[in-house]
Amino acid sequence: MSHTQPSPSLTPSRTLVEARLFSNELSLPLKALLDSGSDENFIDTDLVTQNNIPLTLLPQPREVSALDGRHLAEINHQTQPLTLVASGKHRETLQFLPISSPHSPLP
């Protein structure tokens, strides 16, 4: 079995940036991983629990898979809308899918 590196043009761009999450009750500084290859917005389940970020039930569970097709999780909830301010300039209101990320807490 051989292992080849993906072409640089096919490798998704990933960048860590200074960011802050806001809601009515929350103002949380953090480092956000911006992954241009991701189809969704994810947040670490521990971050959600530690900061009491409210969740809502999804109409249908969402399957999350890695690029190689491996099953990563089934997600049943999403966060309430949160405002993410990245690099002090970019502001966006998003809902995140909580996922366990033991190696790289998200965002």
Side-chain angles (χ1 to χ4, degrees), residues 36-90:
S36 64
S38 178
D39 291 336
E40 298 289 348
N41 299 306
F42 297 101
I43 190 168
D44 188 70
T45 52
D46 289 342
L47 188 67
V48 170
T49 302
Q50 291 166 4
N51 292 283
N52 298 314
I53 297 172
L55 299 174
T56 58
L57 189 62
L58 290 168
Q60 296 180 354
R62 304 280 293 273
E63 295 291 327
V64 179
S65 301
L67 287 174
D68 63 5
R70 283 180 296 123
H71 172 79
L72 296 177
E74 180 178 284
I75 299 174
N76 296 301
H77 294 85
Q78 65 184 358
T79 65
Q80 69 178 23
L82 300 171
T83 300
L84 175 70
V85 178
S87 300
K89 299 174 186 172
H90 179 81

